[in-house]
Amino acid sequence: MKYLTLVWLVASAVGAVLAVAGCGGGAHGPAPVALSSPPLPTPTPAARRLYVDHDGTLYEYALPLTPASKPQRTLPESPGSGFAPQIAVDPGGKIAIASATNIRVFHPPIVSFAPSAARLTITLTPAITEMGPGGADLVDLEYDPNANLWLLNNLGGEVAELAAPISASSVAALTIGFGAPGSKTAGYSALIQARFDVSSALYVYANQSGTQRSRVFKISFPYAKPPSSIGLDLAQADFVDPSQYLPTNPNPAPLLLGQYVGPLSSPPPGLPPPPPVNELSQFAQPFNPVLGVFPDATAKTIVGALIADPPRRAFYTLDTATGRLDAYDLPLATNARPKISLACLGGVTTCDGKAEHLFLAP
């Protein structure tokens, strides 16, 4: 088990190099990397594409969505394989496809995911992430705002970063371990997904082994401190920063969206807590510690993927049961219904438990 291990190089004014390492055990050898500063919040241009990843097939939609929208491309993500890979899209539209043994990177325009079409292939090794007899057990793959690529591996409960620019010889720039006894993540070794905000803070959603408890943990840039819980069971989390709205938006607000499991309010004094809900929810940011960490709007649906599109004042979801692609107004209104709904094209009767992701691309 690896705890937090961090190595980075910072150039000083006279060109000296300082190596800083976090405490912990079992790091994979030296992995120096120059960590850039987190990006400054700037207006985000409206994306032109929406990628819908459904159980190993990628559907490319043009934006804005309409009730008549159809995919412009439908591509198998791992041709010839019977397993759905992990997938991520970087801020420039590059797509990474990860199996248990390698990562292939494709540059736009994306027309095929055949291995021969990859611009870069990275073989997974213990210098990148934990490997078992069958390879890594990757459960999520995510790019951060600086185009660094992050791997969530359930062999050992480990998060690893490949720093940009990524090459065939890249090794892990840092690793963050989950589930270590005595840490704030003790027991939470079953990783599910990672997300980032515009300041490159890393949020990891993880399950506690042997229970039904799940939590979101935050590790702020430059990831020198151990993860800490934000006190929420919130899957598919996405963060909306005021800088992401168009300048014409009259009331840009920082928001947190996701699939929330928990109570909607504090109980009155002397009474038991209200029963938890499982609903699409919105939380105003920052949290108000006086009022408690509760949603300010909810909708009675369960989603398996979510991504916000602030320039269009919209966000998109995939319905967990049906795979339906829905578009909602942003911010979410309580009991809101989708303004656009497009049927799942996956050809299955139920989508529950299938791998699903949504990505915006230029």
Side-chain angles (χ1 to χ4, degrees):
M1 174 65 65
K2 297 180 184 65
Y3 306 113
L4 178 61
T5 302
L6 173 61
V7 180
W8 75 89
L9 301 181
V10 180
S12 71
V14 295
V17 175
L18 173 65
V20 182
C23 298
H28 293 308
V33 64
L35 287 179
S36 61
S37 299
L40 295 175
T42 56
T44 303
R48 297 187 298 117
R49 297 179 180 87
L50 175 66
Y51 289 131
V52 177
D53 161 47
H54 178 81
D55 197 31
T57 301
L58 190 77
Y59 303 91
E60 179 187 314
Y61 288 86
L63 292 175
L65 285 181
T66 72
S69 288
K70 303 290 184 183
Q72 294 183 318
R73 288 190 178 90
T74 299
L75 301 173
E77 296 166 1
S78 187
S81 171
F83 298 95
Q86 295 301 324
I87 182 171
V89 180
D90 85 351
K94 296 177 185 176
I95 295 182
I97 302 282
S99 69
T101 57
N102 65 43
I103 300 172
R104 301 192 305 273
V105 180
F106 301 83
H107 290 208
I110 307 297
V111 296
S112 170
F113 289 124
S116 59
R119 293 281 291 273
L120 172 66
T121 299
I122 304 166
T123 300
L124 295 179
T125 69
I128 294 174
T129 190
E130 292 276 8
M131 302 290 288
D137 182 14
L138 299 184
V139 294
D140 194 17
L141 193 70
E142 295 289 336
Y143 280 103
D144 68 19
N146 280 342
N148 304 307
L149 184 61
W150 296 73
L151 291 66
L152 270 67
N153 187 353
N154 266 346
L155 286 180
E158 175 191 272
V159 180
E161 180 207 22
L162 294 180
I166 300 167
S167 71
S169 59
S170 289
V171 295
L174 64 86
T175 59
I176 302 171
F178 274 69
S183 72
K184 293 181 180 179
T185 64
Y188 287 90
S189 57
L191 307 180
I192 301 174
Q193 58 195 208
R195 296 291 186 267
F196 292 87
D197 62 23
V198 295
S199 297
S200 289
L202 167 63
Y203 299 81
V204 176
Y205 184 59
N207 282 347
Q208 188 178 47
S209 301
T211 73
Q212 299 297 314
R213 290 170 59 86
S214 302
R215 287 291 182 269
V216 176
F217 294 88
K218 178 180 179 180
I219 312 98
S220 295
F221 183 92
Y223 322 116
K225 295 182 179 180
S228 59
S229 173
I230 69 170
L232 281 178
D233 182 339
L234 191 73
Q236 315 304 333
D238 199 10
F239 298 82
V240 180
D241 186 83
S243 68
Q244 295 176 287
Y245 294 97
L246 293 178
T248 53
N249 192 310
N251 297 301
L255 300 170
L256 171 58
L257 299 161
Q259 188 69 35
Y260 171 63
V261 176
L264 296 179
S265 63
S266 296
L271 294 180
V277 301
N278 185 359
E279 297 184 358
L280 177 62
S281 299
Q282 174 180 280
F283 297 81
Q285 297 291 288
F287 293 123
N288 186 328
V290 176
L291 298 178
V293 183
F294 300 109
D296 56 22
T298 61
K300 296 184 183 301
T301 186
I302 299 176
V303 303
L306 182 153
I307 194 164
D309 187 0
R312 292 188 175 87
R313 303 186 193 180
F315 69 95
Y316 314 109
T317 68
L318 292 176
D319 183 88
T320 295
T322 66
R324 185 184 66 241
L325 173 60
D326 291 328
Y328 289 85
D329 285 323
L330 185 70
L332 176 68
T334 291
N335 296 325
R337 300 188 63 82
K339 59 182 181 180
I340 295 173
S341 290
L342 302 176
C344 175
L345 301 177
V348 294
T349 56
T350 177
C351 297
D352 197 4
K354 306 296 184 182
E356 294 183 325
H357 299 87
L358 291 169
F359 302 99
L360 298 175

